[in-house]
Amino acid sequence: MSQPRETAVPKDGAVGRTEFTFDSADGKSAVHAALWVPTTMERAVGGAADVPGCFRPRGVVQLIHGMAEHIDRYDDFARFLAGEGYLVAGHDHIGHGDTAPTAAHRGRMHPTDGAGALVDDVQTLRVLVTRQVAPDVPYFMFGHSMGSLVLRNYLPRFGEGLAGAVVCGTANQPEAVAAAGNVLARAIAKVRGADYKSKLLHSLADGAYSRAVKDARTPFDWLSRDADVVDAFIADERAGFMFSAGAYATLTALAARANSPAAYRATPHDLPLLFVAGDADPVGDCGRGVAKAAESMERAGAEDVTLRLFPGMRHEILNEIGKEEVCAFVLEWIEERS
């Protein structure tokens, strides 16, 4: 593949998309991944370096999706960023989307090895994109919800060299609380099997969020005030599935490690961090937990921490009423560090 020449990036909104797979760190899954590419760059990476108009992207933004959803739900945001000249990458986690071999496999993860595999798969995609598509440009990570916990586990191990990380809609349970949840999930997985769907575990997670919205129209109103978004989520066969005991063990392990003093200390201090959430998001304790996570990063030595809570917004700020403000703010933050 020839190296494209760097030139000005046209903001014409034209975006191409390509899909591929790579081997998961779990040793058995073929991870479904996608790239959103400005069409001018798409021509560049497939042609000669001296073709007029060829350019490198302004940077790369790698998206890490949340629990019980898939990367296609970020298509609008990815096209927005790609339209501004950024190459966007993302994948379906193990047990999610098209990485799951069948619908029945969605929501399944190994109770002890799942957390490590999720983090390692993020790194695999970063290496592939950096080496094969977009070397030598600023590289950003964006993790939402469970993806933000994956990201907060990723940064202490692989954060060196990133231009910035966006932590979106994160949870911030005390380490001891998350660890207790992990003990419970692993115990249920041991007794009933890792693939067992526990109503108790569900009631402590998604079920609790559902109860946080007064006079809710559906069990998923906590995601967004936009009824169309909620209805689309409910109708999406690749979203809203129940996690297994093994997957809850994975989720709680991520949550415990993310909020550990060791993770805060080991995150590169010179890495710019943006914490964003809605101030009506029950996952982040209506902004209070998000603010505590940002403050913990600062106390641990982080030099560039930004916190932005969007008034009235619930969990999915990229799918909320007023999402244009969110997208513009995130883009501006990235541009300032590109």
Side-chain angles (χ1 to χ4, degrees):
M1 182 181 295
S2 300
Q3 293 290 335
R5 185 177 64 187
E6 186 170 7
T7 65
V9 179
K11 296 184 178 181
D12 59 4
V15 175
R17 173 172 162 152
T18 185
E19 300 181 9
F20 59 99
T21 61
F22 62 88
D23 292 336
S24 171
D26 74 355
K28 56 185 179 182
S29 299
V31 176
H32 167 257
L35 294 176
W36 288 262
V37 188
T39 53
T40 43
M41 181 189 169
E42 191 172 45
R43 291 194 296 270
V45 298
D50 59 354
V51 173
C54 291
F55 66 96
R56 294 178 186 273
R58 300 171 72 185
V60 176
V61 182
Q62 183 172 333
L63 307 178
I64 311 172
H65 74 72
M67 171 184 178
E69 57 164 351
H70 52 86
I71 200 62
D72 287 351
R73 297 191 71 240
Y74 294 74
D75 187 70
D76 286 348
F77 184 53
R79 290 181 182 277
F80 167 75
L81 293 172
E84 295 292 332
Y86 289 88
L87 176 70
V88 182
H91 70 283
D92 289 331
H93 296 303
I94 54 175
H96 288 75
D98 291 337
T99 296
T102 69
H105 285 81
R106 292 184 184 129
R108 296 184 186 179
M109 295 184 203
H110 194 281
T112 57
D113 299 338
L118 289 173
V119 172
D120 287 342
D121 287 349
V122 170
Q123 176 64 1
T124 298
L125 180 56
R126 177 185 175 186
V127 170
L128 287 172
V129 172
T130 300
R131 290 180 179 175
Q132 298 185 22
V133 184
D136 304 321
V137 298
Y139 205 107
F140 296 87
M141 292 280 182
F142 180 106
H144 172 69
S145 194
M146 185 184 78
S148 76
L149 298 178
V150 174
L151 178 58
R152 290 167 63 188
N153 279 255
Y154 175 92
L155 295 178
R157 291 179 56 195
F158 301 113
E160 292 291 343
L162 288 177
V166 183
V167 180
C168 178
T170 198
N172 203 53
Q173 288 182 319
E175 184 182 6
V177 173
N182 181 256
V183 170
L184 174 62
R186 290 178 64 176
I188 292 174
K190 184 175 182 179
V191 173
R192 302 298 298 269
D195 297 339
Y196 175 70
K197 304 292 180 70
S198 166
K199 292 182 179 179
L200 172 61
L201 292 174
H202 179 74
S203 71
L204 296 173
D206 281 20
Y209 303 144
S210 298
R211 295 189 293 273
V213 178
K214 293 182 180 180
D215 301 320
R217 183 178 62 92
T218 78
F220 292 101
D221 279 19
W222 58 277
L223 294 175
S224 174
R225 297 167 297 175
D226 189 329
D228 290 340
V229 167
V230 174
D231 290 344
F233 182 87
I234 293 171
D236 188 343
E237 64 177 11
R238 294 183 294 165
F241 48 84
M242 192 172 177
F243 259 25
S244 68
Y248 273 118
T250 293
L251 179 65
T252 51
L254 291 168
R257 295 171 193 169
N259 201 26
S260 67
Y264 290 122
R265 289 194 301 268
T267 298
H269 293 175
D270 61 350
L271 173 66
L273 297 166
L274 172 60
F275 287 81
V276 288
D279 73 359
D281 177 10
V283 175
D285 192 20
C286 295
R288 292 180 289 270
V290 182
K292 288 179 181 178
E295 291 165 3
S296 295
M297 281 292 188
E298 287 186 317
R299 286 197 301 269
E303 300 166 0
D304 181 358
V305 179
T306 303
L307 171 66
R308 177 69 181 272
L309 301 176
F310 292 88
M313 292 192 179
R314 296 177 185 170
H315 186 51
E316 293 191 347
I317 60 175
L318 295 178
N319 293 318
E320 257 288 12
I321 297 170
K323 63 185 178 182
E324 296 81 7
E325 180 185 2
V326 177
C327 293
F329 180 81
V330 172
L331 174 64
E332 181 180 6
W333 186 89
I334 289 173
E335 288 180 326
E336 289 175 352
R337 290 156 181 83
S338 295

